[in-house]
Amino acid sequence: QVHLVESGGGLVEAGGSLRLSCAASGRTFSRSAMGWFRQAPGKEREFVATCNWIGSITNYADSVKGRFTISRDKAKSTLYLQMNSLNPEDTAVYYCAAASQPGSTIAIRDYDYWGQGTQVTVSS
């Protein structure tokens, strides 16, 4: 079992930055691949970024590649998403998720545990 709590969302102007955090509890966190997803109003939840269980392998959606960075701190049981050069199209509720496998994955079906989400709003 993994319990996830996101934080760090908010309102930012276009071109700005935010860092999302996801605090995890549960003994399986250290062995789980982790991911960030987002859902904008009226749209389906979409993949943003993923990393494997030790954070050495990462993968990003094309829309955020070069602007977002996923990382994890094993000692703090925390997942991060550094978001730079934000634009209004990044506005969404952002969710962190834990997979039931150690390898990174972009497939939403591979994630078993989800946080409650944090709102990110980018003004133009």
Side-chain angles (χ1 to χ4, degrees):
Q1 191 82 9
V2 179
H3 183 59
L4 305 171
V5 179
E6 303 96 334
S7 62
L11 174 64
V12 64
E13 292 185 350
S17 298
L18 283 174
R19 188 176 81 155
L20 305 183
S21 299
C22 174
S25 60
R27 60 191 182 95
T28 60
F29 169 78
S30 62
R31 300 192 297 272
S32 299
M34 298 293 295
W36 287 99
F37 293 78
R38 67 186 181 186
Q39 188 166 17
K43 296 187 177 181
E44 293 188 354
R45 192 169 299 188
E46 65 175 4
F47 164 75
V48 174
T50 180
C51 66
N52 66 341
W53 69 288
I54 55 173
S56 61
I57 298 174
T58 59
N59 198 359
Y60 298 91
D62 288 343
S63 59
V64 307
K65 201 169 295 183
R67 300 187 297 122
F68 291 12
T69 302
I70 187 172
S71 62
R72 63 191 297 166
D73 186 327
K74 181 180 179 180
K76 295 181 179 180
S77 295
T78 301
L79 180 74
Y80 301 100
L81 184 68
Q82 178 66 44
M83 307 186 294
N84 299 328
S85 301
L86 286 161
N87 58 62
E89 290 69 39
D90 296 316
T91 294
V93 177
Y94 283 70
Y95 299 89
C96 74
S100 56
Q101 61 185 58
S104 61
T105 174
I106 69 172
I108 195 169
R109 65 178 179 274
D110 291 333
Y111 291 85
D112 295 317
Y113 304 101
W114 294 83
Q116 83 289 349
T118 185
Q119 176 70 47
V120 171
T121 303
V122 185
S123 63
S124 57

